[in-house]
Amino acid sequence: MKKYLLLFCLIFIFRDALFSQDLMKRQIEKLDRGIVAVRTSPEEIFISWRLLGTDPLGTGFNLYRGSQKLNKEPLTGATNFIDKTTTDENYSLKTVIKRKEQKELNTCK
């Protein structure tokens, strides 16, 4: 009985914090994918980008060097890619949601 009384008292004391709408709200910043490409050797470029907190589960990505698509299937599970190339071109990234490539385009050089 004492345990329940203590639990009730704690809930009563901290009720505002426990049930406050402010705690349930998330502050979301307006960010883009932040795609970055860094040459790591004469033959390789490391490309990285952000997965956003607002992305639905299963979001994938298609990565392009110039107009050439670098992946056969949408990239999932990681937000980076190593491109084995000696050329320097622009990279662009398109989001894939439910197997459909979105118009959103993020680029970097």
Side-chain angles (χ1 to χ4, degrees):
M1 184 71 176
K2 289 181 182 180
K3 290 180 184 178
Y4 293 112
L5 183 59
L6 178 61
L7 181 61
F8 177 77
C9 289
L10 288 174
I11 289 173
F12 182 77
I13 292 169
F14 295 107
R15 71 183 180 277
D16 291 336
L18 289 171
F19 301 108
S20 171
Q21 291 295 327
D22 293 335
L23 288 178
M24 295 179 194
K25 292 179 185 175
R26 288 176 40 190
Q27 180 179 354
I28 299 176
E29 297 173 330
K30 184 163 176 57
L31 299 173
D32 64 8
R33 294 279 168 208
I35 183 171
V36 176
V38 178
R39 182 164 292 284
T40 55
S41 76
E43 298 85 26
E44 289 184 348
I45 296 178
F46 176 79
I47 305 105
S48 180
W49 59 92
R50 287 186 188 106
L51 179 66
L52 304 176
T54 55
D55 287 336
L57 289 175
T59 297
F61 301 94
N62 286 333
L63 182 64
Y64 296 85
R65 181 189 339 110
S67 60
Q68 179 186 2
K69 185 176 170 183
L70 299 178
N71 53 294
K72 293 179 183 176
E73 293 293 320
L75 301 168
T76 59
T79 56
N80 60 63
F81 186 87
I82 295 177
D83 186 17
K84 297 183 185 282
T85 183
T86 57
T87 64
D88 288 322
E89 292 189 55
N90 290 340
Y91 287 93
S92 56
L93 186 73
K94 290 190 176 185
T95 308
V96 178
I97 299 173
K98 294 184 181 177
R99 300 183 132 322
K100 190 172 184 182
E101 188 175 78
Q102 306 299 300
K103 293 180 181 178
E104 165 197 352
L105 183 67
N106 293 270
T107 61
C108 75
K109 172 113 173 123

